[in-house]
Amino acid sequence: MPKRRLAVHGIAVAALTLASLILPAAGAHAAPPADSCTHNWSVSSGEGYANGKYCNYNTKVVGTVHDTKADGRCPYVRGSLSNGNHVDSDWAGGKGKSRAITLYAPSGTHITGISMRYISC
């Protein structure tokens, strides 16, 4: 009898060890929660245009900025924040170039508006 209990116990330990190796790996690859993007935005200027969506209760903005003119000016997007500050996107450089953008509002704030700006490039 003791041998049989030992054999069953050994199988149980092996099964638990195998499960502990497999299960955390599967959980580690869980997808992050999806963004809730509900409102569209679009802005333009003489240097280009941009469009996208407000997400997660206006705490994130996603979109694309496009340069439409060969004028040495590269457009970017500025997000105005509820605390009076702002966040800027990367710029798109050279006529016909585009860049995907993402703006994040710092904790405790949200994005209240979007405008187009440019830099000399």
Side-chain angles (χ1 to χ4, degrees):
M1 275 299 221
K3 284 187 180 182
R4 189 173 274 179
R5 284 186 192 158
L6 184 56
V8 172
H9 178 69
I11 291 171
V13 169
L16 288 173
T17 302
L18 182 60
S20 70
L21 293 174
I22 294 171
L23 292 177
H29 297 293
D35 287 328
S36 172
C37 300
T38 55
H39 296 92
N40 294 327
W41 59 267
S42 179
V43 292
S44 63
S45 69
E47 293 75 38
Y49 68 96
N51 50 32
K53 290 185 176 280
Y54 285 99
C55 303
N56 305 339
Y57 303 102
N58 298 354
T59 60
K60 179 180 179 180
V61 168
V62 296
T64 307
V65 62
H66 309 269
D67 189 346
T68 59
K69 198 171 182 183
D71 58 1
R73 297 177 179 171
C74 295
Y76 67 93
V77 172
R78 174 166 284 179
S80 299
L81 298 172
S82 57
N83 65 1
N85 292 327
H86 63 270
V87 290
D88 292 336
S89 74
D90 290 334
W91 45 271
K95 181 180 179 179
K97 301 284 184 181
S98 299
R99 182 172 296 235
I101 59 167
T102 303
L103 301 176
Y104 294 98
S107 181
T109 67
H110 61 275
I111 298 170
T112 60
I114 299 292
S115 61
M116 277 298 271
R117 304 285 179 125
Y118 69 87
I119 63 166
S120 296
C121 56

